[in-house]
Amino acid sequence: MKRILKNKFFAFAVLATLLVTLIMTLAQLPTAKSTIQNVPVGIVNQDQGLIGKSLTNKAMHNKTKAAHADHPMFKWYEYKTVKAANHALSFNGNYATVIIPKDLSQSVQTVGQTGQKSTVKIVINQGRNHTLATNVSSVLTSLFNKFDWNWCFS
């Protein structure tokens, strides 16, 4: 037993194991305690009606913060075309893009007659940071699913 403890290679192996364990533990901390802050998200308004403009304006000025966060969850960027937004999404500019369809104002106004729900399209860049992209996807989905359309008509 004493010969094993006096062996220099054994001591080196133990120290190397402890060092690698420490590095791996420290590498996992940001993932375990992540908060959504200043995540770049693009928005494209294809709707020419009042609702599309109001929705874009509300999103661009939304300063909602996550719990224990210093900055807003999202940093919004407005794009004129879906092609420009997809370019920013593909080249690691944005984590997500919200696309407001052309017929949103019309479908919101006729939802009582037709029964069809009004939807916006959310495109997520899953390849950039899978954990953050999953969190952004769930927050954006819940944000637009729970959206109160009444403020658009006031």
Side-chain angles (χ1 to χ4, degrees):
M1 181 73 160
K2 290 182 181 181
R3 262 185 7 186
I4 293 175
L5 295 176
K6 289 182 180 179
N7 189 344
K8 292 178 187 177
F9 294 113
F10 179 75
F12 176 74
V14 170
L15 287 175
T17 304
L18 290 174
L19 183 65
V20 169
T21 303
L22 179 66
I23 290 171
M24 295 303 235
T25 303
L26 291 175
Q28 294 299 319
L29 287 178
T31 306
K33 295 202 173 224
S34 64
T35 57
I36 299 175
Q37 293 188 68
N38 282 336
V39 175
V41 176
I43 188 165
V44 179
N45 180 17
Q46 295 178 327
D47 186 31
Q48 298 303 315
L50 176 66
I51 294 174
K53 291 176 186 175
S54 297
L55 183 59
T56 303
N57 191 31
K58 285 279 190 181
M60 296 290 291
H61 293 96
N62 186 356
K63 302 296 182 198
T64 303
K65 295 180 181 179
H68 308 293
D70 297 330
H71 302 284
M73 284 187 197
F74 301 116
K75 189 171 185 178
W76 293 91
Y77 295 96
E78 186 174 9
Y79 296 96
K80 299 293 181 195
T81 63
V82 175
K83 185 178 180 179
N86 285 339
H87 181 74
L89 190 69
S90 296
F91 292 101
N92 293 334
N94 295 336
Y95 277 88
T97 300
V98 177
I99 302 170
I100 301 170
K102 293 178 183 177
D103 61 345
L104 183 71
S105 293
Q106 182 181 3
S107 64
V108 167
Q109 292 172 351
T110 61
V111 72
Q113 299 166 354
T114 62
Q116 292 180 340
K117 289 186 177 183
S118 303
T119 59
V120 296
K121 184 178 180 181
I122 300 171
V123 182
I124 305 292
N125 185 350
Q126 290 285 345
R128 187 162 176 197
N129 179 339
H130 183 70
T131 305
L132 183 59
T134 303
N135 291 341
V136 167
S137 175
S138 64
V139 170
L140 286 176
T141 302
S142 69
L143 178 71
F144 286 102
N145 280 344
K146 295 178 183 176
F147 191 74
D148 182 17
W149 296 101
N150 293 330
W151 61 267
C152 293
F153 299 110
S154 56

